[in-house]
């Protein structure tokens, strides 16, 4: 079962990443922890970056399925942000490693895939030209990754409020909010 083995390798990488320096994790560490051969690792993945990429894509697919069960964009954004906050320590470790540039690129690609999935399934960009849709997806992907990197590490992040702000911004209804 290749998918199960990929999942096992990815889980072990994440466990090792949470326990120590990502820059010190080697294929040998994962192979030993999973009790598999190097050949098995390389059958499933090209390198450690490929493990990260596969893990992000898998997470995005699972998140998209959960989001499609929700009724409002606000709820979707809240779930997305909640998941990002839960993964913030791992994301921070990846960004603090030598893999920062690749991690940022993979994060943008993963968020873009999530936006694309949401747009396709909910038919959000049907009335927009293909070129405009691509620019919109790029814009929102880079913007949301930037917001995630800036806000998700904050100790008292109000996910519900930030989700509302992002939703209103994306809907074009971002206006001055009167505070009580």
């Amino acid at each position: 079962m290749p998918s199960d083995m990929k999942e096992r390798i990815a889980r072990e990488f994440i466990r090792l990443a949470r326990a120590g320096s990502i820059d010190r994790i080697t294929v040998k560490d994962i192979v030993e922890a999973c009790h598999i051969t190097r050949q098995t690792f390389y059958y499933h993945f090209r390198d450690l970056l490929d493990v990260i990429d596969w893990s992000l894509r898998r997470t995005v697919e699972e998140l998209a399925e959960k989001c499609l069960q929700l009724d409002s964009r606000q709820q979707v954004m809240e779930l997305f942000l909640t998941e990002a906050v839960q993964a913030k320590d791992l994301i921070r470790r990846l960004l603090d490693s030598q893999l920062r540039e690749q991690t940022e690129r993979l994060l943008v690609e993963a968020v873009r895939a999530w936006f694309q999935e949401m747009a396709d399934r909910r038919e959000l960009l049907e009335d927009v030209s293909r070129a405009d849709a691509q620019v919109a997806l790029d814009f929102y992907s880079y913007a949301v990754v930037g917001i995630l990197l800036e806000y998700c590490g904050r100790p008292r992040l109000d996910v519900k409020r930030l989700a509302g702000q992002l939703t209103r911004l994306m809907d074009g209804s971002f206006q001055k909010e009167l505070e009580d």
Side-chain angles (χ1 to χ4, degrees):
M1 295 204 168
S3 179
D4 291 341
M5 182 55 67
K6 286 182 108 159
E7 186 75 37
R8 186 170 151 203
I9 292 168
R11 267 195 322 265
E12 195 56 41
F13 173 81
I14 291 169
R15 187 189 69 75
L16 291 169
R18 287 189 170 146
S21 170
I22 289 176
D23 292 330
R24 293 187 180 182
I25 298 173
T26 63
V27 170
K28 181 181 178 191
D29 296 331
I30 294 173
V31 163
E32 288 175 358
C34 290
H35 305 289
I36 59 174
T37 65
R38 289 179 74 80
Q39 183 179 6
T40 300
F41 176 91
Y42 286 113
Y43 176 79
H44 295 286
F45 295 106
R46 290 183 309 274
D47 53 24
L48 294 178
L49 194 58
D50 194 29
V51 175
I52 296 167
D53 183 40
W54 184 86
S55 298
L56 277 171
R57 290 180 191 282
R58 180 78 176 241
T59 300
V60 164
E61 289 170 10
E62 292 169 1
L63 183 57
E65 289 304 317
K66 290 178 188 176
C67 289
L68 290 169
Q69 305 303 314
L70 301 173
D71 295 324
S72 73
R73 290 182 189 180
Q74 168 85 23
Q75 291 172 325
V76 168
M77 190 54 71
E78 283 179 34
L79 177 61
F80 181 83
L81 290 173
T82 299
E83 295 285 331
V85 168
Q86 289 175 356
K88 73 178 179 189
D89 292 334
L90 180 58
I91 292 169
R92 180 58 46 209
R93 286 180 170 277
L94 285 164
L95 292 171
D96 289 342
S97 75
Q98 293 176 8
L99 299 173
R100 180 182 184 90
E101 186 177 321
Q102 296 95 325
T103 299
E104 286 177 350
R105 181 183 48 79
L106 291 175
L107 282 171
V108 170
E109 288 174 5
V111 170
R112 191 181 194 292
W114 178 75
F115 273 124
Q116 182 75 57
E117 187 72 21
M118 295 295 99
D120 290 349
R121 297 271 192 100
R122 295 196 175 195
E123 301 172 349
L124 298 176
L125 297 173
E126 284 185 330
D127 300 331
V128 176
S129 74
R130 182 169 167 80
D132 287 350
Q134 297 306 313
V135 169
L137 290 169
D138 288 341
F139 176 80
Y140 288 131
S141 300
Y142 281 98
V144 167
V145 168
I147 292 292
L148 290 176
L149 296 178
E150 180 64 30
Y151 285 78
C152 286
R154 294 185 179 178
R156 288 183 284 265
L157 176 66
D158 184 343
V159 170
K160 190 174 192 93
R161 183 173 187 193
L162 182 57
Q165 291 168 319
L166 289 173
T167 302
R168 288 191 315 277
L169 185 62
M170 289 179 195
D171 287 345
S173 62
F174 200 67
Q175 300 170 358
K176 183 177 180 182
E177 189 176 287
L178 298 176
E179 297 193 25
D180 298 326

